[in-house]
Amino acid sequence: MVLSFCDKIILAPMVRVGTLPMRLLALDYGADIVYCEELVDIKMLQCKRVVNDVLQTVDYIAPTERIIFQTCEREKDRVVFQMGTADPERALAVAKLIENDVAAIDINMGCPKEYSTKGGMGAALLSNPEKIEKILKTLVNGIAKPVTCKIRILPTLEETVNLVKIIQRTGVAAIAVHGRKKEERPQHPIHCDFIKAVSEAVSVPIIANGGSQELIREFQDLEAFRSVTAASSVMVARAAMWNPSIFRREGSLPQEDIMRDYIRYAVMYNNHYTNTKYCLCQMIRDQLESPLGRKLHATQSTLDICEVFEMTSFYESCQLSQEAKKVSLNVSIQDTLKTENDDEENHDTVQMPIKFERKDYLPQITPKMFLLEWCRKEKLPQPVYYTGQIKEVSRTGCSHCMSSNIRTSRRKTWGGRK
């Protein structure tokens, strides 16, 4: 099914916000299409595509083991991959790498910030229509999925309309137009007249963007923004970042309910806690000095965040479920451990006695939780455990104790006893 950009409400691409948990939440609340954050072509070309059977995701992983892009079946037909590029061939290479996992490819031609404009990307492309044309034509002719782009308006209405007409000739499926010039910021008024003139000048679907500060506060405002700009669809950035339930036709939800819904996805998909924390702070940007805001600001892990929102049980059940999946996906953990131990070249096993006294640990905290958070900080998958009973003979006689082998992705095996 080819993605249509007519009569849609869309989550805009936002750096640090447009990750998988936010995209899925927006879809739950009623968004028709979701864009990922801008990802640079060179970085994507360094990634390895990995199917994560535990989380049921497709992960694009950098050489540093950091997940650069993560997606899942739930959004496959509605997620648009936004790329930062200034090179047609690199753009095509990334598009071919990613196209089977997404619904469309978008080229960022509007972001005015330095991380995007350096190297001629983002809004820097606006002054180079020949390169714009070459990039878009290369993609349209090179992949089967729809291609779109997102621009800002130019200094004059005539220049803006002329650019959009050039873009339309490349065969793109839609053009998102942010109604501000590249030097303007959210505090500057949006130029709805420019978006309207563009919408009326071309036949390609125009997606209106940039109304969060002035025009969009609730769901009904989305249709009003579309009407005033005569656009085919509406794209929302900051209004959705502050309140993802703005996509709900039934009306917005209470703030803490939204935050808990977001945390559920963050935990389910192992979202890095710093990203989770950032997005949650945006949702309470005016209340960071409140008791809830201060507690959230002090968190240092996903578990900490869950404790603030009384979701520790959910967190622990997710961890246990994921560990069980890892075990079930292994042919045999015991056989794997035996193979590693029998490998003469593999001597990376450390054995140590570890005593566990419940009174020495805070409520809900166990040695496994410490190890889990260490693996997260080291950007490693969660450890896998195998525990069995062994018999020890000492001068005091024969005793039974438990021995656990804990495997991490660095292929170290730690042997512990309790």
Side-chain angles (χ1 to χ4, degrees):
M1 182 181 69
V2 177
L3 188 64
S4 167
F5 291 88
C6 294
D7 195 29
K8 303 293 191 235
I9 53 174
I10 302 168
L11 177 70
M14 290 179 282
V15 172
R16 298 184 68 185
V17 176
T19 47
L20 183 60
M22 183 64 78
R23 300 196 306 266
L24 294 177
L25 189 63
L27 290 174
D28 282 353
Y29 288 155
D32 298 304
I33 299 172
V34 291
Y35 279 56
C36 76
E37 61 181 331
E38 177 197 18
L39 295 168
V40 176
D41 55 5
I42 295 175
K43 184 176 290 187
M44 283 300 298
L45 288 174
Q46 296 172 347
C47 289
K48 179 181 179 182
R49 181 184 183 275
V50 176
V51 176
N52 187 327
D53 290 322
V54 174
L55 300 182
Q56 295 186 318
T57 58
V58 175
D59 302 338
Y60 286 81
I61 302 177
T64 59
E65 298 186 15
R66 178 188 169 204
I67 296 176
I68 302 300
F69 176 65
Q70 183 180 54
T71 186
C72 66
E73 189 67 27
R74 164 88 169 83
E75 66 169 6
K76 185 175 181 179
D77 295 329
R78 294 198 278 172
V79 63
V80 178
F81 180 86
Q82 191 187 63
M83 187 191 320
T85 188
D87 182 272
E89 298 309 317
R90 280 205 307 267
L92 181 59
V94 173
K96 286 185 174 181
L97 174 70
I98 200 86
E99 69 171 321
N100 291 330
D101 295 315
V102 299
I105 305 291
D106 181 81
I107 301 301
N108 181 354
M109 299 180 176
C111 183
K113 296 186 178 178
E114 184 182 358
Y115 63 75
S116 187
T117 57
K118 64 183 179 183
M121 299 182 295
L125 285 169
L126 295 175
S127 59
N128 195 340
E130 288 184 4
K131 182 172 282 189
I132 286 177
E133 193 171 9
K134 190 170 183 182
I135 291 171
L136 294 177
K137 278 186 175 179
T138 299
L139 289 176
V140 169
N141 295 329
I143 63 172
K145 294 293 175 69
V147 176
T148 67
C149 68
K150 186 171 184 288
I151 68 169
R152 283 196 170 217
I153 61 174
L154 296 178
T156 69
L157 181 55
E158 182 181 9
E159 290 175 292
T160 305
V161 170
N162 286 340
L163 176 62
V164 171
K165 286 181 176 179
I166 290 171
I167 293 173
Q168 178 178 239
R169 290 199 297 267
T170 66
V172 294
I175 305 169
V177 180
H178 183 117
R180 291 186 179 86
K181 300 166 187 176
K182 64 180 182 180
E183 66 275 8
E184 293 179 331
R185 295 297 177 266
Q187 64 269 25
H188 294 100
I190 183 173
H191 302 276
C192 290
D193 55 332
F194 275 57
I195 303 177
K196 184 176 182 181
V198 165
S199 299
E200 294 172 345
V202 295
S203 59
V204 65
I206 298 298
I207 305 168
N209 176 235
S212 292
Q213 189 78 11
E214 305 167 52
L215 305 175
I216 301 173
R217 292 290 181 272
E218 54 188 1
F219 179 81
Q220 289 75 13
D221 298 334
L222 299 174
E223 181 55 41
F225 184 42
R226 173 163 38 201
S227 178
V228 76
T229 58
S232 298
S233 297
V234 171
M235 176 180 279
V236 192
R238 287 170 302 127
M241 174 177 70
W242 300 329
N243 173 20
S245 72
I246 197 167
F247 295 110
R248 292 184 82 249
R249 288 162 175 78
E250 307 86 353
S252 294
L253 292 171
Q255 185 182 66
E256 288 197 27
D257 289 352
I258 297 168
M259 296 173 83
R260 287 188 175 90
D261 285 347
Y262 174 80
I263 291 168
R264 287 186 185 93
Y265 276 128
V267 172
M268 287 167 59
Y269 290 101
N270 285 347
N271 198 49
H272 195 279
Y273 91 89
T274 56
N275 181 255
T276 302
K277 181 176 176 179
Y278 176 83
C279 292
L280 292 171
C281 286
Q282 293 302 315
M283 295 178 199
I284 56 168
R285 68 195 189 289
D286 297 328
Q287 304 168 47
L288 292 175
E289 293 304 316
S290 68
L292 176 64
R294 285 197 286 268
K295 287 179 183 177
L296 179 59
H297 188 265
T299 58
Q300 295 295 318
S301 68
T302 299
L303 177 58
D304 288 350
I305 292 170
C306 288
E307 287 176 345
V308 169
F309 289 88
E310 299 180 350
M311 296 178 66
T312 305
S313 295
F314 176 79
Y315 174 87
E316 291 179 341
S317 72
C318 279
Q319 303 312 307
L320 290 173
S321 175
Q322 290 174 14
E323 287 181 17
K325 270 188 183 175
K326 284 187 175 183
V327 171
S328 68
L329 290 169
N330 282 310
V331 176
S332 168
I333 291 180
Q334 296 182 52
D335 289 346
T336 303
L337 290 171
K338 186 175 184 297
T339 300
E340 288 184 352
N341 290 333
D342 288 346
D343 184 352
E344 293 182 358
E345 296 181 2
N346 182 15
H347 301 290
D348 55 354
T349 299
V350 178
Q351 289 194 343
M352 64 181 72
I354 300 173
K355 184 179 181 181
F356 174 51
E357 295 280 356
R358 164 51 69 186
K359 64 182 178 62
D360 294 335
Y361 291 83
L362 296 172
Q364 307 299 336
I365 300 296
T366 67
K368 288 174 68 175
M369 289 297 180
F370 281 119
L371 182 59
L372 179 65
E373 288 305 318
W374 177 82
C375 286
R376 286 179 179 278
K377 289 177 182 178
E378 294 293 316
K379 300 178 181 177
L380 300 172
Q382 297 169 23
V384 177
Y385 301 84
Y386 168 70
T387 301
Q389 191 177 66
I390 62 172
K391 183 185 292 185
E392 284 191 341
V393 179
S394 66
R395 284 179 296 180
T396 59
C398 178
S399 65
H400 293 272
C401 63
M402 303 301 292
S403 175
S404 292
N405 287 306
I406 308 166
R407 298 173 58 235
T408 73
S409 66
R410 285 182 179 166
R411 296 184 60 81
K412 273 196 181 294
T413 303
W414 301 83
R417 300 174 185 174
K418 63 177 182 177

